[in-house]
Amino acid sequence: MTHAGADDTLVAYSSMEDGELADYVSQIERDNPDLHIKVIRVSTAALHERILQEGDAGQWDIIFGWSLTKLLDPMIQTLLATFDSAQLDRLPREARDEGGKWFSPSAFVPAFCVNEARLKEKGLPVPRNWNELAESYYGGEIVLPDPAYSGAGFLHVTALNQKSGSAYVDSVFRRVANSRPRVVRSAFEPCSAVLNGEAAIGVTVSTAVCGLMNQGVDVRMVIPSDAAAFEPESFAIRAGSRHLSQAQRALDWTMSSAACETYGRYGKVVLKDIDIRSPEDGDPRFPAMTAINAAKANQDRDAMCSAWSRFFN
């Protein structure tokens, strides 16, 4: 996956999960034997801080999968190069920057990771949405990510607010908080808690759940019906990268058929050919979804995170 120290190595920043990253990078390097990619995986909020701290002195080459709401920060935009590829025409207009600074071939989906057997033992139903998750009988069985640190947490908060309104969200969060959920800072920690028998339900994203399912782990994925909205996943090149041609080839792969097939395996929405599709046509796990308004989410970030923290911190 990495060839550290090589002068021609592409340095990629990403907030994807490690297993998923390894899958993509191995395919890119297999199809492009002269490309070597070193991935530095950083959580969503920490990656934002890191890129801003490095500023023009940053030595990374590409953003390889990051929350679009974070990448839309005007300060981040000043650090990005224009990406020029004929494949961009395959993407819908809302999945690419008019100025060529970023594009989104795939999208994150909010999800619950559920240990169905544990719930059955306790005589509890599988929650289909946040309103049902707020039932008091789930006390001690919930792990959720803090939206101030986790892209997964912020996606759930954003989707709930944009689909159902702040009054609904406040009502639901007040009831969920009464169950004293465990609060963590990443998308995968809730899945780990479910996997380790520490909880029955982890609030996360579909990629984390599908990563476990792909390994044969017996968990169930639920897309909460009241938060069924996806966030485009951004890719970009750093202005000043010494490996522009290699970076463009690596990112071209992310719009290939092979890439789109892999996105589907990890439960992502695929954005291509002016068509917004769920990972598997007709799959009942994936309800009809629309994209969040990423620009509005970025504007409302502080207010939404503050409202969340009133209940859970």
Side-chain angles (χ1 to χ4, degrees), residues 1-307:
M1 178 175 171
T2 63
H3 303 259
D7 289 339
D8 59 349
T9 294
L10 285 175
V11 176
Y13 280 171
S14 178
S15 60
M16 292 186 197
E17 298 300 327
D18 289 331
E20 184 186 4
L21 281 167
D23 198 349
Y24 298 138
V25 170
S26 66
Q27 291 187 62
I28 294 173
E29 293 184 343
R30 179 198 63 203
D31 295 344
N32 300 272
D34 63 318
L35 291 185
H36 308 304
I37 302 174
K38 175 183 178 181
V39 177
I40 299 175
R41 196 270 172 191
V42 186
S43 65
T44 300
L47 181 52
H48 183 258
E49 293 177 7
R50 178 171 183 154
I51 292 175
L52 289 181
Q53 286 176 354
E54 292 177 349
D56 293 332
Q59 296 300 304
W60 54 276
D61 297 292
I62 55 177
I63 297 294
F64 196 90
W66 190 31
S67 162
L68 180 59
T69 56
K70 283 293 190 184
L71 184 125
L72 287 179
D73 180 334
M75 295 297 293
I76 299 291
Q77 294 287 299
T78 65
L79 302 174
L80 304 179
T82 298
F83 178 73
D84 184 20
S85 170
Q87 294 218 60
L88 290 174
D89 291 337
R90 302 180 66 194
L91 300 178
R93 195 167 299 171
E94 63 271 20
R96 50 194 164 103
D97 175 45
E98 289 184 1
K101 292 289 188 76
W102 58 265
F103 66 98
S104 298
S106 53
F108 299 111
V109 179
F112 297 157
C113 178
V114 179
N115 184 328
E116 206 166 2
R118 183 182 175 105
L119 288 180
K120 188 174 182 179
E121 288 175 4
K122 295 176 177 291
L124 300 177
V126 174
R128 295 169 295 182
N129 50 51
W130 273 88
N131 189 50
E132 293 184 2
L133 186 67
E135 294 289 350
S136 59
Y137 46 66
Y138 291 118
E141 294 295 336
I142 304 169
V143 179
L144 54 90
D146 187 332
Y149 299 93
S150 164
F154 187 68
L155 175 53
H156 277 270
V157 170
T158 297
L160 278 166
N161 273 279
Q162 292 189 2
K163 285 182 67 70
S164 303
S166 60
Y168 175 85
V169 174
D170 285 355
S171 173
V172 167
F173 282 175
R174 182 176 294 106
R175 293 162 57 214
V176 172
N178 288 337
S179 293
R180 298 187 178 278
R182 176 178 155 200
V183 176
V184 296
R185 292 190 174 188
S186 78
F188 195 74
E189 282 184 84
C191 290
S192 294
V194 171
L195 189 61
N196 295 332
E198 299 165 9
I201 304 156
V203 174
T204 183
V205 282
S206 59
T207 51
V209 190
C210 286
L212 292 177
M213 295 169 69
N214 292 343
Q215 298 172 38
V217 177
D218 186 17
V219 291
R220 176 173 171 179
M221 180 170 65
V222 175
I223 309 301
S225 58
D226 50 3
F230 58 80
E231 177 179 1
E233 176 179 40
S234 60
F235 294 74
I237 299 175
R238 182 179 66 83
S241 167
R242 294 183 296 111
H243 308 297
L244 283 176
S245 62
Q246 296 97 320
Q248 291 199 10
R249 276 196 291 134
L251 293 190
D252 263 340
W253 180 90
T254 67
M255 291 176 278
S256 68
S257 296
C260 291
E261 182 180 342
T262 310
Y263 300 146
R265 283 207 312 273
Y266 286 97
K268 291 180 176 177
V269 167
V270 178
L271 306 174
K272 70 168 192 174
D273 297 329
I274 320 302
D275 178 31
I276 299 177
R277 302 185 294 108
S278 288
E280 298 176 31
D281 292 337
D283 189 330
R285 297 175 303 174
F286 294 92
M289 283 181 280
T290 55
I292 64 167
N293 183 327
K296 186 176 190 312
N298 206 27
Q299 293 170 1
D300 297 343
R301 180 183 298 275
D302 290 345
M304 288 192 293
C305 289
S306 294

